[in-house]
Amino acid sequence: MGKRRKGARGTEAKIRGEAGSIYRTILRRRKPSLSLPIRSLDNVRYNPKVGYFEIGRKRKERTLTVNTAKTFAQSLKMMSLSIDLLRGDDIATKREAYYVSKNWGDARFDEQTESDAVMDDVEALFEVNREQLGFIPEEKGGEVAGRLTVIDRDPDTGRALKIDCTRFGSGAYSIPISVEDLGFRTNASFILAIETAGMFQRLVKHNFWKKANCILVSMGGVPTRACRRFIRRLADERKIPVYAFVDGDPYGITNIYRTLKVGSGNAAHINKFFCVPQARYLGVTPQDIIEFKLKDATHPLKEVDIKRARDALSNDPFIMRELAWQQAIEQMIEMGVRVEQQAFAKHDLNYVIDVYLPKKLRNPEKFLP
Amino acid sequence: MLSIRRRVHTDAARREAGTMRKRKRRPPRAKGKAAAGGRRPGRVRTPSELGENGMDLHQEEIAYQMAVRQREISVSEFFTKNRHLLGFDNPKKALLTTVKEAVDNSLDACEDAKIIPELKIDLRQIGEDRFRVAVEDNGPGIVKAQVPKVFGKLLYGSKFHTLKQARGQQGIGISAAGMYGQLTTGQPVRITSRIGPRKPAHYFEIRIDTQKNAPEIIRDEETAWDSPHGTRVEIELEGKYQKGRQSVESYLEQVSLANPHVRILYRDPEGEGVVLPRAANVLPREPREIKPHPYGVELGVLMQMLKTTGARHLKSFLTRDFSRVGSKVAREICARAGLSETAWPSRIAREESDKLSRAINSTKIMSPPTDCLSPIGEELILAALKKQIKAVFYEATSRAPSVYRGNPFLIEVGLAWGGPAAAAGDGDEDPLASLVRFANRVPLLYQQSACAITKAVIGTNWRAYGLAQARGALPSGPLTVMVHMASVWVPFTSESKEAIAHYPEIMKEVRLGLQDVGRKLKAFLSRRARIADAEKKKAYIEKYLPHIGAALRDILALRKPQEARVVRILTRVLEKSRKMD
């Protein structure tokens, strides 16, 4: 049992507790019910004290009725599957869980979207992330290079494995799907989370991490849960700042950066694990367009960009709390243009390494919140 | 429609006097043309034209020349040219109309004689587009002397001058059918009739002289017939036989629906026999004849009545010739019109009928009596629907009589829902409901969209009653809606009697009737849905509760009896709860 994941026992106990209360309710000849937090943006608050989206108090009762009998049965089967995984120290991807259900007779899922939804419900019910339930996402976690040693375990022997992220050459360390049991050793002075793999490649190739004494993480668009969790744990444990370097457009700000920092709206029940409240926005900012003379390397904002930006101004609980962001977004709408990370190549391919990043990093206190 | 009616009425009166002049005989549509032709002298007056062609004719001469061309047109001649007005527009419709006219006549005759009708309809194809229609009834028969006139003269009949609920109205139908046959095949109408077992049956062959609107007897002889009484009409005509909608079959089925007391034996051109049995063995209540109500009488009719009345004084004319006019009301009318109560009706007809008409319309007069109507009745509608349409839900309503323009009428609505189509299940490919319309028990097969009944059915919100309905369309689903209007005078939009005119009073009654059966349908459908729910509920319980038991057993390591207990309790708890959620 020593090999078992941390917290597995706790999660198992939670599941057994819930199932036990359902069992007792049934014995009292009452209809059992599951109380689930409502997972939607309406039920999300941005708490600046903790620095991430929190789920609100609204809950829905899933009482067992004739109509809900199927989903109710499926939720319990999913809990039972989770217990099996935890007891056997195994994992199942969402897709695998869907296929396991094919063995449940009439309670099987017809589509993976149905099993994903039930999995999300169970996750929200116990306020744990699905990794703690033994379920893992399909998606890749992101890549890491720079001044960091990751300590993992050998799956067979359980012995510690030290992975030196400076020694991948032009390649990188791939963040695993479950990062809960990783250990870290580093003396880097910050983590740079980069939107595109292209920019990450450039920085790795020119050993930027060496010059800046940092850890580079490639997010590849909106960061996955594992990627966010990895950065969070690393930043928390080693007490190092996190800077985000993404495109200067509404998508980069309100989707990629916002999700990295405060989590996503529809997974608010687990955001406390999957967010990086200490993250700051290095760039590219609308102001950078002026200061680094990028005007002729911009693109006009598309209608969807403007809509996204306005939507964030009026609906996103995080943006609505941060005056600096409102000003920056309004400035962007006023300028009517967006700018990509790679735009600096207009001056010179390595302008970003030689001029932009060093200049910005001199004043981290000026980064947007 | 009413203008046509008035015209026919005047024609009928004139026919007796035997003075029909060309200009009066023109149908209204042709009037403009006639006027244009008649004004040619006006053109002659143009000076340039006068010089050029030298046709400098005197005004009177032209009038004389025209007088040569002006002569009487017989009614028959007029209808020969306008046969579409009577429902003989095309061969298919002509065949149906012929059957329909003969059937209408037979049924009216039987009911008048208080005989429960039994009809034999025999259709034979005798050439590529030639048919022989034979309709035989067990009615009272027609006395020998009348037969030629009834079948060989248009506008000859017993029903036009009375206000009474009947199928036929004008005495046109059967003679027009005979005329159509004569026109297309050259064959005479063949009639066999017998008025009683002690009298011999008579066989006639009659041709219509379309010039004179008079019958021409080709054959008249006694014959052997095994029916004790009744009439058989045989018409040969050019026609086209088709099955399906608007076919003779579907017409007869509808006749049987609205006339549950009739037994119909039908043999189609392919030799196949169909029997439409009775749903009731009693005759409908005999409709009472009433006098016209003052509100329903238009100026022209009023003038005619004033001229022909037997009353000597205006007041007695009003009280004797109208319903619901007592001496108090008559006095009030006279006062309002500023006419003397003792004035001569015929003098008023010439000079002051206009005043009188206005006075009538501004006087409050009680609605006409409604006991003159003979509804089918809810019970018989239900019986007929059940006999004819396979469905799971039947409903009928017979509304209280109402009045439009002084004419009493009543609306009956029947509804059948379900059947094989409903059992098939899912609703999205449902066909439109079928609507069957009746006026005085006669099915209306054509011009559905022009009919007030159709408009009322479409205007009803069937979605409120649990059916699907597209905007501006009939409801859809396995539904048959039957609407019957009974009246002493049904306001058709044309002489071929295919659609009912859009009187607001009629539309309102139809709508109320539809709503009445609609509400009951709704109740039925909800009940049905509840039952389906309950079944679904049971299936759900059986399907999914065992999985809840199994999951709890796995998580909590329960033993088999404990698991079984969980499922048992849950099953009981859920079955007890009435709703699905």
Side-chain angles (χ1 to χ4, degrees), chain A residues 16 19-20 23 26-27 29 31 64-67 69-70 72-73 76-77 79-80 83 87 104 106-107, chain B residues 537 540-541 543-544 547-548 550-552 554-556 558 562 565-566 569-570 572-574 577 580-581:
Chain A
R16 266 209 310 272
Y23 179 60
I26 293 171
L27 292 187
R29 285 163 176 73
K31 289 184 195 166
L64 173 60
T65 64
V66 176
N67 271 337
K70 186 175 183 184
F72 203 94
L76 284 175
K77 292 293 272 186
M79 283 156 64
S80 162
I83 288 232
R87 283 179 188 157
W104 295 352
D106 288 325
Chain B
K537 180 170 139 178
Y540 257 61
I541 288 173
K543 242 186 191 175
Y544 299 119
H547 291 285
I548 294 178
L552 287 177
D554 289 348
I555 299 171
L556 299 173
L558 300 180
Q562 287 172 302
R565 188 154 174 240
V566 163
I569 293 174
L570 277 181
R572 220 173 305 140
V573 168
L574 289 196
S577 73
M580 289 287 286
D581 42 41

Side-chain angles (χ1 to χ4, degrees), chain A residues 71-122:
Chain A
T71 15
F72 203 94
Q74 287 172 331
S75 302
L76 284 175
K77 292 293 272 186
M78 192 63 91
M79 283 156 64
S80 162
L81 172 60
S82 168
I83 288 232
D84 285 350
L85 292 173
L86 293 172
R87 283 179 188 157
D89 190 26
D90 206 344
I91 49 168
T93 65
K94 290 162 118 182
R95 189 80 185 151
E96 284 168 336
Y98 160 69
Y99 280 118
V100 169
S101 88
K102 293 297 183 189
N103 189 30
W104 295 352
D106 288 325
R108 82 181 81 84
F109 295 107
D110 296 325
E111 297 289 338
Q112 195 194 322
T113 48
E114 295 170 27
S115 70
D116 288 356
V118 168
M119 196 182 286
D120 287 348
D121 281 344
V122 173

